[in-house]
Amino acid sequence: MNTIMQKSVLEIGTGASKNRDCLQAVHEAISQAKTNLGKETAGLAIVFATIEFARPVVAKIIANLLGPTPVIGASSAAVISNQGIWKNGIVIMLVNFPEEIFVNHAFVKDMDQKGGVAGGLELAEKLLSGFAGKQRDLSVIFSDGIIKEKKGLITGLQEKLGRSFPVVGASASDNFHFSKTFVYANQEVFNNGACGLLFGGRVNFGLGIKHGWKTLGKPRYITKAVDNTVYEIDGKPAADTYQQYLGFDLPRLKTELKRISIFYPLGITLAGEKECLLRNIIAIGDDGSCVCQGDVPVNSQVRLMIGTKESALSATKQALDQAKEQLKNCQTHFALLFNSASRLMLLGRDANRELEIVKESLGENTPVIGLYTFGEQAPLTAAGYHGISYFHSQTFTILGIGTKN
Amino acid sequence: MGLDNLFSILNILLVIGIAALAILLILKLEKLKQLQATNQGLKKSLNEMDEQAKLILRTDIELNKAQEELDKKITSLYALQRMSRAISSTLEENKIFKIIESTGIEDFGFEKSCAFLWDPVKKAFLQQANIGYSQAELETIQSYLKENQEAYLELLSSKKTVSSLSLSQEEKSKINKVFNVISFVISSVSPIGGSRGFLFMGTTDINMAISEGDEEMVTVLAHQIGQAIDNARLFEKTWHTQQQLERKVEERTHDLTKALEEVQMISKRKTDFVSAVSHELRTPLTSIKGYASILLAGKLGGIPPEVQERLEKINSHSDELTHFVNDLLDIARIEAGRMNMKKETFDLEELLRRVLDLLAGQLKEKNIALSYTIPKEANAVFADRGQLNRVFINLIGNALKFTPQGGKINIYAKISGNAVQIDISDTGCGMPHEAQQQIFEEFYRVDNTINQEAKGTGLGLSLVKHIIEAHQGKIWVKSTVGSGSTFSFTLPLPA
């Protein structure tokens, strides 16, 4: 854990490179970011890079080039910046926060061994170090997208940090192999861990989260489920629902799982929420059980969901409006985008349209960097959920940062 | 009584109450029935909507698949267009594969690629391109290719494309293992000439199923690479041929320059020699002619007729020899650039009339009709009057010599470009084609009966040519044996 050095005004410098030589790309991106920042060192560096960058030597070079600047980040299926969306590349944002904003950074390793809740508690403890007496405003977390205890991480984190402020997170992704995803913390890049930031003071932010999927068919009820595995819906094997709707047998359902998972997730109806909480099916058992990305409580009302490119892009616009509304009249200094990897696959060649919508909404010159995730974490909007951060799928999540007037 | 009445009233009220309750119950039951019917209707509608949802979902999944395939194809086509443009812009074979490496293959849906060309001398597949493979992996691939050389050479001969789609499970697994991929396409690179090879593209993405479209795309790219190699090789060959040709031309030019220098040196020596000899000859000739004239004039006393006859021969032969020597000297002077042409603008017809006056006797003697046509616009020439006089005397003299009794000579002048062209035609014996090529060479005499009988030095036409060329003009002859000859020359017009 380190307390990040503060500056009197918020300064941003971003850099990006898609040079096929990873080390060369790191040099190019950092050089651009430093030039745009106008300084050699910064209070914080946020790094998103595609999977081929996830090597110890790359992390060491980043640390060497940035000197004492703390680094956090995550691997991604593609990287997003004002320059475009690249399936091979690295984006770096260097930030100097004003004096009235406090930021701590920390990381935790060996999550699977420690357990999700314990890992979350450890991370929270590190983040709180040196934060005594300061108002907590926001926490941003990047975690390995493959770890089992995703819910536990947030639970542990919020147990210690409290629920009076939002915890926003992104699960790292890879190039859709679903084998290993990584987080960056200072001079290290590792899997099976998480890293995060805790903001306090006068940080002003706007959070927008939408997916755009619509309900289809009649409501059904989860009658048997454990954690993220749904065994039965309406008393029948969970996969039966998909088989009925799609007319596929179980083997074909398994073959077509990737497409089904993206286009037709399960939607959990939440009281007071405009959108359902989505759950991708990531595996189908021989018994017809469906393993979801995120927990599904028993007795939940679920619907089959359907998404289109247009509905997804419309949701992007809504999320941007939501974030801007929260920032009120405050200028958005920079924005972090946590975009579901499923949306990248859904949008395909139209992924750039989404970036155009972002630029149009925030302004062409507002620094933006982002990653594609294997899940997003954010609180629900309705007051009844008491600030608990939930695991989301398929959303476009934007975190706009400004300063209080 | 009072109590009875009270009971009666109570009974009536009870009956009324029960009746009211019964009516209420009936009404409620009716309402429930209606609600149940509505509920049934709603359930039915919901089920119907659910059935419609199934239809929507089934249609949607097919549409999405089609859309994905279309997106993939469009992206691949754009990538193919970009790569084709880049490949076709180079004419260096070793750069073609570098372009593939730098352009990238992700848009084709692959992340690993390598290319090999067969080297018939080394009898091995040589690696040309590599995307995504480590050195160790490439070595594994190389040894696999060595072991399966024949199979791959057969693939090259067949010019086929094979992929995860078309090969057997066994073959597929082997290639997947060696090339460390899950799906792949291999297409032969077949330039028309020279060594052939193959392009491999693969992916480790378990979700990417190779389609016929992928096969087509890689085949087109491999074909483009083949064509680019052909172009590069053809350019290389042409370039080498051109280089060789340029070297040869340079060598030949060098030889020719050297030969020309030698010829010029020899010619100069000849000119110098002729000039020296001619000068040396002219002095004694002048003396001989002088003494012969003195003797003939009888200034040294009378001479017998036999002596006079001999002296006249000495005199006339001396004149011929002087004429010969003068011609030689003039040729030598012109060749050496020592002859000063006193160019002036004058009347061509006037000059011609004077020449014809000189030759009038011979024309009359042979009864030759000479006519000339000099249009006004071609009448003025810019030349050395004296030298042009010699040209006409020589050319008309030759025409006279070779035209039989009663023949015709025609002189015609005309404007030709920036010059005056003068044609002198006769109805003489003409000359064969080969003689026309050499007629202007020094000492050349056409082999015919007239020349055998008549005297001549073979210098006249050579001198004429030198004079005309010294005027920046040209001279040529057209002749047919038995039909006569036409000598033509050009002279510059006055400025």
Side-chain angles (χ1 to χ4, degrees):
Chain A
M1 188 289 305
N2 281 308
T3 301
I4 293 162
M5 193 167 59
Q6 311 300 338
K7 304 286 173 185
S8 56
V9 285
L10 198 136
E11 298 166 325
I12 315 289
T14 58
S17 173
K18 51 179 175 178
N19 193 317
R20 298 190 68 80
D21 181 331
C22 292
L23 303 184
Q24 195 63 40
V26 168
H27 276 92
E28 286 173 9
I30 290 180
S31 167
Q32 269 179 41
K34 283 181 177 178
T35 307
N36 291 333
L37 183 74
K39 288 182 179 150
E40 273 298 301
T41 55
L44 175 68
I46 303 170
V47 175
F48 301 135
T50 48
I51 200 72
E52 64 275 13
F53 286 82
R55 291 188 280 148
V57 64
V58 172
K60 285 216 159 42
I61 285 177
I62 292 172
N64 285 344
L65 290 171
L66 292 175
T69 307
V71 178
I72 67 157
S75 65
S76 175
V79 291
I80 307 166
S81 74
N82 295 63
Q83 297 180 43
I85 295 168
W86 299 334
K87 285 183 180 172
N88 295 88
I90 183 166
V91 293
I92 291 177
M93 179 177 272
L94 298 178
V95 194
N96 280 323
F97 291 99
E99 282 171 0
E100 63 268 26
I101 294 177
F102 311 108
V103 186
N104 264 7
H105 75 286
F107 63 88
V108 59
K109 288 180 167 181
D110 305 321
M111 290 278 297
D112 280 344
Q113 291 84 343
K114 288 173 182 167
V117 177
L121 284 167
E122 183 186 325
L123 185 62
E125 207 161 307
K126 287 177 179 177
L127 285 171
L128 283 170
S129 173
F131 228 84
K134 294 185 178 85
Q135 183 194 320
R136 302 161 201 174
D137 283 338
L138 170 73
S139 181
V140 178
I141 306 296
F142 300 118
S143 58
D144 179 348
I146 312 287
I147 52 167
K148 294 171 194 161
E149 291 277 346
K150 286 174 191 167
K151 187 188 172 192
L153 172 71
I154 302 297
T155 307
L157 199 72
Q158 288 202 302
E159 197 177 311
K160 191 88 183 169
L161 292 180
R163 288 168 187 160
S164 58
F165 61 93
V167 171
V168 183
S171 298
S173 63
D174 65 2
N175 49 351
F176 295 103
H177 283 206
F178 300 95
S179 57
K180 267 189 179 179
T181 67
F182 296 84
V183 292
Y184 291 81
N186 297 330
Q187 71 275 24
E188 286 186 271
V189 57
F190 51 88
N191 62 334
N192 193 18
C195 62
L197 298 168
L198 180 61
F199 291 84
R202 286 178 62 81
V203 67
N204 190 17
F205 62 88
L207 176 66
I209 177 163
K210 290 279 174 190
H211 52 71
W213 265 251
K214 307 291 175 197
T215 54
L216 190 77
K218 61 183 181 185
R220 290 157 194 275
Y221 290 88
I222 305 289
T223 46
K224 189 180 173 189
V226 178
D227 296 331
N228 64 336
T229 305
V230 183
Y231 290 96
E232 285 177 10
I233 297 174
D234 286 346
K236 291 178 183 171
D240 260 21
T241 306
Y242 279 99
Q243 284 177 258
Q244 275 178 35
Y245 277 99
L246 295 166
F248 293 169
D249 57 16
L250 200 59
R252 184 158 176 212
L253 203 60
K254 285 182 181 182
T255 314
E256 302 261 6
L257 182 61
K258 185 183 153 192
R259 185 173 284 107
I260 293 163
S261 170
I262 294 167
F263 291 109
Y264 318 110
L266 282 177
I268 303 171
T269 312
L270 297 169
E273 292 293 315
K274 282 181 185 171
E275 283 194 321
C276 289
L277 190 64
L278 298 188
R279 290 290 176 258
N280 292 124
I281 310 294
I282 52 173
I284 295 174
D286 291 337
D287 57 352
S289 60
C290 295
V291 182
C292 298
Q293 210 171 27
D295 282 18
V296 185
V298 178
N299 296 328
S300 304
Q301 189 192 65
V302 289
R303 308 278 292 269
L304 216 61
M305 308 294 287
I306 186 165
T308 64
K309 287 184 182 184
E310 291 313 316
S311 67
L313 291 174
S314 167
T316 304
K317 181 84 179 65
Q318 287 169 32
L320 283 159
D321 290 344
Q322 198 177 34
K324 278 163 72 178
E325 171 65 26
Q326 286 179 27
L327 275 165
K328 297 193 171 68
N329 295 324
C330 179
Q331 184 200 348
T332 309
H333 284 291
F334 70 91
L336 299 176
L337 309 181
F338 306 156
N339 205 350
S340 169
S342 298
R343 295 171 73 88
L344 179 66
M345 298 192 75
L346 172 80
L347 292 171
R349 291 174 64 246
D350 289 319
N352 279 307
R353 273 175 67 197
E354 191 169 52
L355 182 60
E356 289 310 312
I357 291 169
V358 172
K359 286 197 215 172
E360 202 178 305
S361 172
L362 299 181
E364 189 76 26
N365 298 320
T366 303
V368 167
I369 64 165
L371 82 162
Y372 284 95
T373 73
F374 280 170
E376 310 80 47
Q377 295 90 44
L380 299 171
T381 49
Y385 297 101
H386 308 294
I388 299 170
S389 272
Y390 277 76
F391 188 90
H392 298 257
S393 290
Q394 321 245 116
T395 71
F396 171 86
T397 303
I398 172 174
L399 180 64
I401 303 287
T403 44
K404 280 180 182 167
N405 293 323
Chain B
M1 173 70 187
L3 201 64
D4 284 346
N5 281 342
L6 186 64
F7 275 120
S8 295
I9 291 163
L10 282 174
N11 275 336
I12 290 162
L13 285 173
L14 189 68
V15 169
I16 291 167
I18 289 167
L21 278 172
I23 290 164
L24 203 65
L25 188 68
I26 289 164
L27 285 172
K28 282 278 177 192
L29 281 172
E30 196 59 35
K31 184 81 175 168
L32 192 68
K33 231 178 180 179
Q34 278 176 3
L35 279 172
Q36 276 176 341
T38 309
N39 198 23
Q40 285 297 323
L42 281 171
K43 267 189 181 172
K44 198 183 166 196
S45 294
L46 195 61
N47 284 334
E48 277 171 6
M49 277 170 69
D50 209 39
E51 288 305 311
Q52 285 167 1
K54 287 172 188 171
L55 276 176
I56 291 168
L57 219 60
R58 287 169 198 185
T59 311
D60 190 63
I61 199 164
E62 291 308 319
L63 278 173
N64 278 327
K65 273 186 202 173
Q67 178 76 49
E68 263 178 44
E69 189 61 28
L70 199 64
D71 271 1
K72 198 175 147 192
K73 276 196 173 170
I74 291 170
T75 310
S76 298
L77 277 170
Y78 275 124
L80 184 66
Q81 187 202 23
R82 268 201 317 276
M83 201 173 274
S84 297
R85 198 181 294 156
I87 287 171
S88 58
S89 68
T90 182
L91 287 169
E92 289 175 62
E93 192 177 338
N94 57 355
K95 277 193 182 168
I96 294 168
F97 292 101
K98 295 286 166 222
I99 287 171
I100 298 169
E101 286 180 347
S102 62
T103 312
I105 51 164
E106 292 81 7
D107 286 345
F108 287 99
F110 299 99
E111 71 272 11
K112 289 190 170 190
S113 177
C114 53
F116 290 85
L117 285 182
W118 172 251
D119 187 328
V121 181
K122 291 181 181 168
K123 295 207 177 301
F125 281 103
L126 303 183
Q127 182 220 317
Q128 307 294 320
N130 168 31
I131 298 175
Y133 285 110
S134 67
Q135 197 50 44
E137 284 175 315
L138 283 173
E139 280 166 19
T140 310
I141 294 168
Q142 287 271 21
S143 24
Y144 160 78
L145 289 174
K146 203 173 175 183
E147 283 166 23
N148 298 275
Q149 207 164 277
E150 291 307 317
Y152 278 82
L153 285 173
E154 204 177 302
L155 172 75
L156 304 193
S157 306
S158 67
K159 298 183 184 178
K160 272 185 185 172
T161 294
V162 293
S163 74
S164 309
L165 203 63
S166 56
L167 291 178
S168 69
Q169 192 57 46
E170 194 190 345
E171 288 170 312
K172 231 166 29 181
S173 305
K174 200 173 177 183
I175 292 171
N176 283 347
K177 196 179 168 191
V178 173
F179 287 86
N180 200 11
V181 291
I182 287 167
S183 309
F184 62 86
V185 179
I186 304 174
S187 186
S188 62
V189 174
S190 307
I192 297 164
S195 54
R196 292 172 174 182
F198 68 87
L199 173 70
F200 173 93
M201 283 202 186
T203 177
T204 51
D205 185 350
I206 44 167
N207 300 306
M208 185 189 158
I210 298 290
S211 66
E212 283 179 6
D214 295 319
E215 278 192 346
E216 276 171 38
M217 216 60 79
V218 178
T219 307
V220 172
L221 180 61
H223 183 66
Q224 294 268 6
I225 294 169
Q227 277 188 339
I229 292 174
D230 267 336
N231 290 343
R233 285 176 183 168
L234 189 65
F235 175 77
E236 183 84 358
K237 202 174 160 185
T238 312
W239 190 77
H240 273 297
T241 311
Q242 192 193 330
Q243 290 294 103
Q244 278 178 345
L245 204 65
E246 276 179 15
R247 266 202 304 277
K248 276 186 182 169
V249 167
E250 210 172 291
E251 283 169 12
R252 196 84 185 118
T253 308
H254 182 256
D255 291 348
L256 284 171
T257 309
K258 215 172 158 186
L260 183 66
E261 280 169 4
E262 280 175 21
V263 167
Q264 281 172 339
M265 196 180 71
I266 292 166
S267 175
K268 188 175 178 302
R269 279 182 193 159
K270 183 206 77 177
T271 308
D272 291 348
F273 172 75
V274 168
S275 182
V277 169
S278 306
H279 273 293
E280 291 306 315
L281 278 173
R282 210 153 62 160
T283 314
L285 261 176
T286 312
S287 302
I288 292 165
K289 185 173 165 57
Y291 290 127
S293 298
I294 290 165
L295 288 169
L296 273 170
K299 287 179 181 171
L300 298 175
I303 49 168
E306 296 84 6
V307 175
Q308 188 172 354
E309 191 189 334
R310 303 296 189 278
L311 279 171
E312 275 170 359
K313 278 192 179 174
I314 287 171
N315 200 20
S316 112
H317 284 184
S318 293
D319 280 345
E320 283 167 13
L321 206 53
T322 305
H323 189 70
F324 176 74
V325 167
N326 283 342
D327 280 356
L328 266 180
L329 273 171
D330 284 346
I331 290 171
R333 275 196 207 109
I334 294 170
E335 277 183 351
R338 289 199 298 265
M339 175 79 89
N340 282 331
M341 294 290 164
K342 293 170 189 163
K343 289 180 191 172
E344 58 182 321
T345 303
F346 59 86
D347 193 316
L348 183 63
E349 191 177 352
E350 188 193 323
L351 180 104
L352 187 59
R353 262 194 269 112
R354 286 188 184 177
V355 172
L356 293 181
D357 283 348
L358 282 174
L359 300 170
Q362 291 175 56
L363 286 165
K364 197 176 175 186
E365 194 182 317
K366 287 185 84 170
N367 190 28
I368 288 171
L370 188 142
S371 64
Y372 64 84
T373 309
I374 301 172
K376 198 176 174 184
E377 66 275 11
N379 194 31
V381 290
F382 184 67
D384 184 313
R385 192 191 291 264
Q387 297 301 334
L388 193 58
N389 199 52
R390 292 173 80 178
V391 169
F392 275 116
I393 287 174
N394 260 296
L395 292 177
I396 299 170
N398 274 350
L400 262 168
K401 187 175 166 184
F402 295 104
T403 305
Q405 286 279 338
K408 283 180 183 171
I409 296 172
N410 184 48
I411 300 166
Y412 181 78
K414 64 178 178 186
I415 298 291
S416 172
N418 293 327
V420 174
Q421 182 179 322
I422 298 148
D423 302 323
I424 300 168
S425 309
D426 62 50
T427 54
C429 58
M431 68 184 97
H433 181 72
E434 55 275 17
Q436 292 171 40
Q437 309 294 313
Q438 301 175 67
I439 193 78
F440 296 106
E441 287 177 15
E442 288 164 29
F443 307 111
Y444 180 80
R445 298 189 76 210
V446 180
D447 186 15
N448 57 26
T449 48
I450 298 169
N451 267 344
Q452 282 162 15
E453 286 167 10
K455 285 180 184 173
T457 59
L459 286 175
L461 285 176
S462 175
L463 179 67
V464 165
K465 185 173 185 278
H466 277 91
I467 292 169
I468 295 298
E469 285 176 354
H471 281 85
Q472 284 79 47
K474 286 179 183 172
I475 184 162
W476 67 94
V477 63
K478 283 181 184 169
S479 182
T480 310
V481 176
S483 301
S485 305
T486 298
F487 282 82
S488 303
F489 63 92
T490 58
L491 288 170
L493 285 167

